[in-house]
C-alpha cells in the first residue's frame, strides 16, 4: 500500500469504480497506510461506519461549521487512496482554463481540485502595490494570498500598511491570510505584550483580514523567546488573542501557530520542543477549542506527495505529507480541522551551493517541485479536515538561497 508512485490524477478521475468497496480489510489497509501509529479495532470500525454514512449522504463540509472530525476521519484516510470512489462526479472541479500557466511556472499543469469539502489554496506572494501573477493565480484556482508580519510596538504605521494589503488583495479577488509573528524578546512584562499583540491582531481582523495565524513555529527559540518557550506560555497567548480576534471580526478564520516539524528536543532541550509533543500538550490545555483550525507546515518533502516511505534520510513521520497529517489529526483526536500555512518543496538541483542542512533536496528538480506542489494540493483537496493550504512562495525577489529554492515562481534556481 505504500506506493510512492500513486497517481493523484487517477484518484480524481477514476471512473472505473463508482461505489466504495465494502471490504473492511481493504479500508483498514488504507487507514493503516496513512497513519504513523495503528488505530484500535473499535476506532477503525467507527471510521468505517462513518465512511459509509458520508458516502451515502454525500455530505459536504461547510466553512465555519464545527462537525465531528472523528466522524469524517474515515473519509480522510479512505479518500487518500480511493479518491473518486466516494466523490460524486459533480464534486470534481475542472477549471475552464484556456491559457497555459506554464510560463508562470506555478505548476506543471493546472491543479484539478475536488470541491467536496470546501478546500481552498493560495500562495505567499508580494501584495504591495499589486499582486504579481494575479491572472495566473486566478486561472490556477487560487483563492488566497498570504503575508508575514512581525508585530512591533514601536511601529505605529504597521496597521496602515496591512490595511493597504487587505484592500489590494480584496480588489483583485483574493482572500488574505496574515501570519503574525511577535518579537524574539519579550519586554519585562510578557502579559502586557500578550495583550498588545492580541489588540493588534484584533485590529487586523477588524480591518477585514480573512484569516490570521497566531504566531508561527512557537515550539522553537528562533521564533519564540527562549525564556518563555513552552506550551503554557503559548497557550496563555492564545487565551488572550483568540477572543480579541473573534470579537473584532467573527468571519476571520483563526489559526493556531504551525509548529516547526522537528525531533531535536534531546539535542537542544532549551531551544526546541518536538512538534508532536508541543501539539499534544497544547491540545490537552483545551485552548484549541477556540480556533477554527490547527496550523501545520510541510516543507521538507524529498519524495512525491503520496509517498510514505523512500526518503533517504529516514522514515520520520514529518518526511511525508500523509503521515504528518495523520499524526497531527491523532494528536488532536481528529476534532479540529487543519490549515497548512506553509507548503513547499525545496528544489536544489543545479544550485551551485546547497545551503547547510538542505542537502536532502539536492536532487529535487524544478520540474519535480512544480509537479509535487500541484499533486500535494490535489490530494489535500480530498482531505475532509483540511480547509486551506498556502504555498511557499511565488515570485519573491531578494530571497536567501534556501527560500529561493522554495520559490515556485522563480525562473532560475
Amino acid at each position: 500500500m505504500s506506493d510512492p508512485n500513486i497517481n493523484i490524477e487517477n484518484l480524481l478521475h477514476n471512473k472505473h469504480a463508482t461505489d466504495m468497496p465494502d471490504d473492511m480489510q481493504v479500508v483498514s489497509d488504507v487507514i493503516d497506510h496513512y497513519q504513523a501509529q495503528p488505530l484500535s479495532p473499535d476506532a477503525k470500525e467507527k471510521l468505517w461506519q462513518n465512511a459509509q454514512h458520508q458516502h451515502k449522504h454525500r455530505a459536504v463540509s461547510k466553512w465555519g461549521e464545527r462537525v465531528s472530525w472523528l466522524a469524517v476521519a474515515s473519509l480522510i484516510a479512505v479518500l487518500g487512496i480511493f479518491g473518486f470512489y466516494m466523490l460524486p462526479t459533480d464534486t470534481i472541479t475542472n477549471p475552464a482554463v484556456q491559457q497555459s500557466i506554464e510560463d508562470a511556472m506555478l505548476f506543471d499543469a493546472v491543479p484539478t481540485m475536488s470541491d467536496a469539502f470546501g478546500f481552498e489554496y493560495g500562495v505567499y506572494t508580494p501584495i504591495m502595490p499589486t499582486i504579481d501573477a494575479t491572472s495566473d493565480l486566478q486561472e490556477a484556482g487560487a483563492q488566497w494570498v498570504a503575508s508575514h508580519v512581525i508585530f512591533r510596538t514601536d511601529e505605529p504605521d504597521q496597521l496602515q500598511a496591512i490595511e493597504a494589503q487587505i484592500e489590494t488583495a480584496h480588489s483583485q479577488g483574493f482572500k488574505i491570510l496574515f501570519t503574525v509573528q511577535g518579537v524574539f524578546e519579550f519586554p519585562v512584562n510578557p502579559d502586557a505584550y500578550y495583550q498588545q499583540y492580541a489588540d493588534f491582531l484584533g485590529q487586523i481582523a477588524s480591518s477585514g483580514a480573512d484569516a490570521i495565524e497566531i504566531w508561527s513555529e512557537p515550539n522553537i527559540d528562533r521564533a519564540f523567546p527562549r525564556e518563555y518557550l513552552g506550551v503554557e506560555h503559548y497557550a496563555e497567548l492564545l487565551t488572550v488573542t483568540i477572543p480579541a480576534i473573534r470579537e473584532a471580526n467573527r468571519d476571520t478564520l483563526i489559526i493556531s501557530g504551525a509548529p516547526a516539524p522537528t525531533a531535536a528536543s534531546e539535542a537542544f532541550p532549551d531551544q526546541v520542543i518536538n512538534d508532536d509533543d508541543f501539539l499534544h500538550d497544547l491540545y490537552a490545555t483545551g485552548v484549541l477549542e477556540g480556533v477554527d483550525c490547527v496550523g501545520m507546515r510541510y516543507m521538507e518533502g524529498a519524495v512525491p506527495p503520496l509517498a510514505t516511505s523512500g526518503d533517504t534520510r529516514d522514515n520520520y513521520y514529518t518526511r511525508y505529507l500523509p503521515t504528518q497529517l495523520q499524526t497531527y489529526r491523532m494528536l488532536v483526536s481528529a476534532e479540529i480541522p487543519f490549515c497548512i500555512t506553509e507548503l513547499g518543496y525545496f528544489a536544489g538541483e543545479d544550485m551551485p551551493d546547497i545551503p547547510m542542512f538542505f542537502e536532502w533536496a539536492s536532487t529535487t528538480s524544478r520540474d519535480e517541485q512544480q509537479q509535487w506542489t500541484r499533486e500535494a494540493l490535489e490530494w489535500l483537496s480530498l482531505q475532509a479536515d483540511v480547509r486551506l493550504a498556502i504555498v511557499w512562495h511565488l515570485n519573491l525577489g531578494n530571497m536567501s538561497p534556501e527560500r529561493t529554492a522554495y520559490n515556485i515562481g522563480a525562473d532560475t534556481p
Side-chain angles (χ1 to χ4, degrees):
M1 298 297 292
S2 298
D3 181 2
N5 298 312
I6 294 170
N7 190 312
I8 295 179
E9 186 174 345
N10 289 341
L11 301 183
L12 289 165
H13 300 289
N14 179 7
K15 295 181 173 62
H16 299 296
T18 57
D19 295 312
M20 188 174 65
D22 57 4
D23 181 351
M24 182 60 190
Q25 185 58 50
V26 172
V27 176
S28 295
D29 289 343
V30 173
I31 293 171
D32 289 340
H33 180 88
Y34 286 107
Q35 64 182 22
Q37 302 173 20
L39 292 176
S40 68
D42 289 344
K44 285 187 179 181
E45 178 65 26
K46 186 171 184 179
L47 294 180
W48 170 242
Q49 291 173 355
N50 284 306
Q52 290 179 308
H53 176 79
Q54 293 284 358
H55 178 57
K56 179 179 179 180
H57 295 284
R58 303 193 189 281
V60 177
S61 301
K62 296 181 180 179
W63 282 81
E65 183 177 288
R66 179 57 61 90
V67 300
S68 170
W69 291 104
L70 183 59
V72 298
S74 53
L75 281 171
I76 298 158
V78 174
L79 283 172
I81 289 290
F82 293 115
F84 187 82
Y85 285 172
M86 297 182 58
L87 295 178
T89 56
D90 60 0
T91 65
I92 302 298
T93 301
N94 292 296
V97 178
Q98 303 300 322
Q99 181 179 357
S100 171
I101 62 170
E102 181 178 351
D103 292 341
M105 295 184 68
L106 299 176
F107 313 106
D108 63 332
V110 176
T112 302
M113 307 286 194
S114 165
D115 63 3
F117 306 111
F119 171 80
E120 296 182 335
Y121 94 92
V123 297
Y124 276 96
T125 192
I127 300 176
M128 290 294 292
T130 60
I131 299 171
D132 292 351
T134 296
S135 60
D136 295 309
L137 287 172
Q138 291 171 338
E139 289 171 358
Q143 301 98 335
W144 289 78
V145 290
S147 180
H148 192 275
V149 175
I150 297 179
F151 168 59
R152 303 183 189 279
T153 58
D154 57 351
E155 293 187 13
D157 296 334
Q158 266 193 307
L159 186 61
Q160 184 177 354
I162 289 170
E163 290 173 342
Q165 289 183 324
I166 294 172
E167 182 179 356
T168 297
H170 288 174
S171 68
Q172 297 185 41
F174 296 104
K175 301 174 186 178
I176 184 167
L177 176 149
F178 290 95
T179 293
V180 185
Q181 206 80 9
V183 294
F184 297 135
E185 294 183 5
F186 289 156
V188 176
N189 185 351
D191 291 339
Y193 181 79
Y194 292 165
Q195 189 60 59
Q196 290 175 314
Y197 175 87
D199 292 343
F200 181 66
L201 268 60
Q203 291 175 316
I204 296 176
S206 182
S207 298
D210 299 286
I212 296 176
E213 181 182 17
I214 304 173
W215 219 280
S216 179
E217 300 184 324
N219 60 319
I220 57 175
D221 71 343
R222 74 181 179 194
F224 207 85
R226 183 182 302 182
E227 183 181 357
Y228 300 100
L229 190 66
V231 168
E232 65 277 9
H233 292 291
Y234 181 65
E236 183 179 349
L237 178 67
L238 289 180
T239 300
V240 177
T241 305
I242 290 171
I245 298 173
R246 192 73 72 198
E247 291 170 10
N249 186 346
R250 298 196 66 83
D251 293 329
T252 299
L253 194 71
I254 301 177
I255 307 171
S256 62
T262 179
S265 61
E266 288 190 11
F268 306 97
D270 298 324
Q271 299 172 255
V272 170
I273 303 173
N274 290 350
D275 58 311
D276 53 347
D277 294 333
F278 186 86
L279 188 54
H280 173 273
D281 293 345
L282 186 62
Y283 174 72
T285 69
V287 70
L288 291 179
E289 294 179 3
V291 304
D292 294 300
C293 57
V294 172
M296 171 179 154
R297 66 194 303 266
Y298 178 76
M299 299 277 284
E300 59 180 85
V303 291
L306 280 186
T308 57
S309 63
D311 194 295
T312 58
R313 292 164 289 181
D314 52 51
N315 282 321
Y316 192 65
Y317 74 90
T318 63
R319 307 301 192 206
Y320 311 105
L321 179 59
T323 55
Q324 182 174 344
L325 180 58
Q326 181 73 345
T327 299
Y328 276 28
R329 25 174 100 104
M330 293 173 68
L331 291 170
V332 299
S333 298
E335 292 181 352
I336 310 170
F338 294 92
C339 289
I340 301 179
T341 54
E342 294 181 19
L343 174 71
Y345 289 88
F346 184 99
E349 188 178 63
D350 298 328
M351 286 190 71
D353 297 302
I354 300 293
M356 186 179 298
F357 305 122
F358 285 82
E359 294 85 357
W360 48 268
S362 60
T363 62
T364 300
S365 68
R366 284 287 178 183
D367 289 342
E368 287 175 322
Q369 180 190 54
Q370 293 164 32
Q371 176 185 345
W372 294 353
T373 303
R374 171 183 59 82
E375 290 182 343
L377 290 171
E378 291 177 341
W379 182 76
L380 288 168
S381 76
L382 294 169
Q383 308 310 301
D385 63 344
V386 179
R387 290 187 167 191
L388 173 66
I390 301 293
V391 175
W392 180 286
H393 265 108
L394 171 66
N395 291 345
L396 256 66
N398 301 319
M399 301 179 73
S400 62
E402 62 269 26
R403 292 194 174 207
T404 299
Y406 279 111
N407 184 358
I408 64 170
D411 292 330
T412 57

